[in-house]
Amino acid sequence: MIEMENVSFSTGSTEVRGLSFRLGRKEKAVVLGPRFSGKSDLLLVCLGAHPYSDGTVRLFGQTLDMAGRGLPPDLAQKVGFVGKNSTLLDNLTVSANVGLPLSYHTGLSARETADKIGPLLERFEITKAGELFPHQISDAEVKLAMMARALVFDPEILLIDEPTNGDLDPNSFVKILRTMNSEDMKDVSLLVTTSSPSVATMEGAASYCMVDGALIPRSELGRVHNVAVDDFMGVVNDYSERQANGVRPFYAGLGPSGKRGTT
Amino acid sequence: MTAREIDERFQTPVVGRVYGWAASKAGHLRDLLFLAADFAGALLALKGSQWKYTRNLIYHQIIFSGIDAIYVVSVLSAIIGGVVMVELMSFSPGFQTDSILMNAMVGLIIREIAPIFSTLILVGRSGSAIAVELGGMRVKRQDDALEIMGINVAPFFHMPRIIGMAVSNMMLNGYFVIMALVCWIAISSFDPKVDLAAMLGLLAGAVRFSDVMLGLFKGLMLGSMVAIVCIHHGMSVKNSATEIPQRTSRAIMESFMFCFVLDGVLSVVWHMVFA
């Protein structure tokens, strides 16, 4: 469904080169990497919304234009995208935002659109937020609304950029991860980018690391000898080890004075 | 040839700077024309379902730019109509029988004052709002998100605003004229020396169809121009929220300048063709 062969592109601060990647039907993949490593632009390249200089990107067998002028309309409805920051339109309610692609492309009335998206809002547990505006709901609900909007045409592929980005409380964090792993998503190919090691352990997903302009399968990281990779993986492994040993995250140890506790 | 090469050739920095300034202004004008062409192309390519959605956005824009501005236009047009009448009464006590003066004043209100003032109100109310709103959308990358969903921003963001502003400005222009003349008549009715029947007769004769058409056409063109300039500056915001006020300020000043230039050009062309 998504095939990249020796693709190179620039993010402004990082040069990504020789990137090869494949995501098949109903497959899931997570790309873990530090900030500004080019993860977001990787997703945009897959969507034909960011230019690439070398190689080939194919989506559903169609080669995408190197100039990054967007997807042809027939492909656009087969792919859902959830951005890092809120891209809900501020002047529309949450339900109008979720139903926007539907009403725009099909010409359904507001009533018909509301009927269609009702089950979707229910599935993402944001029915109550439906009548509110984006600034009136939490970051987690914004993320869930964006996921609902991305799934409004039942796309075959869903691309999610930093699903846990933003000010999320632990419940919301878990809720978003649970939604991505839910039974409803089993028929959708999922490509997720994240800088959170917790998200990178998503069940049944192939795991990659994007460091220093390269995309490396996590299983092959031991073979790569590179200062940037070693540094990043050192931090990730330390985090994972603390989690495995039941050590509370560092912020849990902060006392009322703001000084770190014994944990 | 670059500005630096021109400077070296003419041995003075002035020519190169003037050339650089002119080239940048020409490039900016070209961008505005491309935006207008993009709008026209999007209008032609709009499908039925998309048109239905865009139509609702146009209605909303007309309500915001036209209907909501009626209060401000009422006050301003009443003041201007009243001031013109007071000036006329003091300048020429027998003006109600002077057809040349009456024709000149009515023509001035319909052809020049109403289009310019309604456009200035439009710039201050809706033009600035459009630049700020679109700038904010650019910073949040909401336009990119729409493109990824297969929603072309030209019909979604640009078209409702351009059509809505053009129609609103035309309506406000007509309303401005009516209010100014009504206020004119109301004030003159308080003066016992004014022969109201004679003045109404002259006034009816002074309102010429060609002047009304020019006024409405100017409203349409100036409204579209303001929308295009403000959309261009709003969509030119790149990454930072600090660019929004800068771009908004430029959008307003440029709209004011283009308003007077375009009004003058249309008046001259109209005069050459129809006078």
Side-chain angles (χ1 to χ4, degrees):
Chain A
M1 296 176 99
I2 297 178
E3 289 168 86
M4 302 178 106
E5 283 171 23
N6 287 319
V7 173
S8 301
F9 59 89
S10 171
T11 68
S13 56
T14 309
E15 293 294 326
V16 177
R17 50 200 183 272
L19 190 148
S20 295
F21 170 78
R22 189 183 172 283
L23 184 75
R25 187 176 292 275
K26 298 184 186 180
E27 285 180 359
K28 296 183 184 355
V30 182
V31 177
L32 173 70
R35 300 266 179 200
F36 307 113
S37 57
K39 305 186 298 295
S40 303
D41 290 318
L42 166 69
L43 296 188
L44 293 178
V45 168
C46 294
L47 290 162
H50 187 86
Y52 61 98
S53 50
D54 276 319
T56 316
V57 181
R58 277 190 289 272
L59 188 63
F60 296 104
Q62 283 191 43
T63 303
L64 300 184
D65 180 19
M66 289 177 97
R69 293 195 196 97
L71 293 178
D74 56 322
L75 284 188
Q77 292 184 13
K78 289 183 176 178
V79 187
F81 174 65
V82 181
K84 190 183 335 187
N85 301 312
S86 169
T87 52
L88 298 180
L89 298 181
D90 299 326
N91 56 350
L92 298 180
T93 61
V94 170
S95 57
N97 264 295
V98 173
L100 175 64
L102 201 60
S103 53
Y104 183 79
H105 287 297
T106 62
L108 290 178
S109 68
R111 180 88 195 159
E112 289 166 328
T113 307
D115 288 345
K116 286 248 180 195
I117 63 161
L120 205 54
L121 297 180
E122 211 168 295
R123 179 172 141 196
F124 284 92
E125 300 174 27
I126 49 171
T127 310
K128 280 185 187 166
E131 294 314 306
L132 301 175
F133 287 91
H135 68 272
Q136 296 172 309
I137 61 175
S138 68
D139 282 4
E141 286 171 321
V142 166
K143 280 281 175 195
L144 293 170
M146 284 165 66
M147 283 170 76
R149 183 176 68 177
L151 290 172
V152 79
F153 279 120
D154 289 325
E156 293 177 46
I157 304 176
L158 182 62
L159 309 180
I160 308 179
D161 190 13
E162 298 278 9
T164 52
N165 184 46
D167 190 15
L168 301 180
D169 60 85
N171 284 341
S172 305
F173 191 93
V174 171
K175 190 175 175 182
I176 287 174
L177 296 190
R178 208 179 56 214
T179 308
M180 289 195 309
N181 277 315
S182 68
E183 271 293 296
D184 293 323
M185 302 288 268
K186 71 178 192 308
D187 292 334
V188 182
S189 302
L190 201 61
L191 176 57
V192 179
T193 64
T194 182
S195 49
S196 161
S198 303
V199 179
T201 56
M202 200 169 90
E203 204 180 323
S207 186
Y208 295 84
C209 279
M210 193 153 184
V211 193
D212 198 31
L215 186 69
I216 309 157
R218 205 158 167 183
S219 55
E220 293 176 19
L221 272 176
R223 278 181 252 163
V224 179
H225 298 291
N226 178 316
V227 176
V229 171
D230 290 346
D231 281 355
F232 179 67
M233 288 319 296
V235 174
V236 171
N237 290 335
D238 180 49
Y239 178 90
S240 305
E241 199 176 313
R242 287 164 69 87
Q243 291 275 304
N245 292 334
V247 179
R248 284 187 292 162
F250 73 94
Y251 53 78
L254 290 178
S257 64
K259 288 181 182 167
R260 190 166 294 172
T262 51
T263 54
Chain B
M1 191 179 280
T2 65
R4 183 184 287 273
E5 287 166 347
I6 292 174
D7 278 348
E8 285 167 3
R9 185 171 168 185
F10 287 91
Q11 299 288 308
T12 166
V14 178
V15 181
R17 279 186 196 174
V18 170
Y19 171 81
W21 178 84
S24 121
K25 292 296 167 198
H28 180 57
L29 209 57
R30 182 201 58 208
D31 289 346
L32 293 178
L33 290 174
F34 277 169
L35 184 62
D38 192 29
F39 154 69
L43 189 65
L44 294 174
L46 214 57
K47 291 178 194 160
S49 62
Q50 297 163 350
W51 174 244
K52 197 174 166 184
Y53 197 88
T54 308
R55 197 178 55 197
N56 286 335
L57 297 176
I58 293 172
Y59 291 153
H60 281 105
Q61 188 64 47
I62 290 175
I63 289 170
F64 173 69
S65 301
I67 312 289
D68 289 354
I70 279 181
Y71 172 73
V72 185
V73 172
S74 302
V75 173
L76 197 69
S77 56
I79 290 171
I80 288 175
V83 167
V84 168
M85 174 48 66
V86 170
E87 288 295 325
L88 266 181
M89 283 156 73
S90 59
F91 172 70
S92 171
F95 75 94
Q96 73 272 21
T97 54
D98 187 341
S99 64
I100 294 175
L101 192 60
M102 192 65 93
N103 283 344
M105 291 315 295
V106 171
L108 194 65
I109 287 180
I110 295 175
R111 292 198 309 253
E112 305 298 335
I113 294 177
I116 285 181
F117 274 90
S118 61
T119 306
L120 295 184
I121 292 170
L122 195 78
V123 173
R125 282 190 80 258
S126 307
S128 54
I130 284 177
V132 170
E133 187 185 15
L134 295 186
M137 285 178 172
R138 285 285 301 148
V139 170
K140 292 181 179 177
R141 295 282 175 263
Q142 290 175 346
D143 55 330
D144 290 343
L146 289 180
E147 291 278 6
I148 287 168
M149 289 188 287
I151 298 175
N152 184 357
V153 292
F156 195 81
F157 281 161
H158 306 173
M159 193 185 296
R161 287 170 175 83
I162 295 174
I163 296 177
M165 294 269 276
V167 172
S168 298
N169 201 32
M170 195 173 68
M171 282 164 35
L172 288 177
N173 186 19
Y175 180 73
F176 189 106
V177 171
I178 292 168
M179 279 301 290
L181 294 183
V182 165
C183 192
W184 189 345
I185 295 164
I187 286 190
S188 61
S189 67
F190 289 109
D191 186 349
K193 287 179 280 184
V194 173
D195 180 356
L196 205 59
M199 194 193 77
L200 286 175
L202 271 183
L203 194 64
V207 178
R208 290 185 301 174
F209 179 72
S210 63
D211 287 349
V212 173
M213 292 313 292
L214 174 60
L216 294 179
F217 182 66
K218 275 185 176 178
L220 204 66
M221 295 304 287
L222 294 179
S224 314
M225 179 273 299
V226 169
I228 288 170
V229 169
C230 294
I231 287 170
H232 171 75
H233 282 288
M235 297 302 279
S236 300
V237 170
K238 299 220 161 29
N239 298 311
S240 164
T242 54
E243 292 173 55
I244 299 174
Q246 292 166 357
R247 280 288 173 180
T248 305
S249 168
R250 283 180 67 180
I252 292 174
M253 295 316 295
E254 209 166 276
S255 298
F256 282 164
M257 195 191 71
F258 277 129
C259 168
F260 289 106
V261 171
L262 188 58
D263 179 80
V265 169
L266 289 174
S267 292
V268 170
V269 170
W270 190 274
H271 183 75
M272 286 165 65
V273 175
F274 295 103

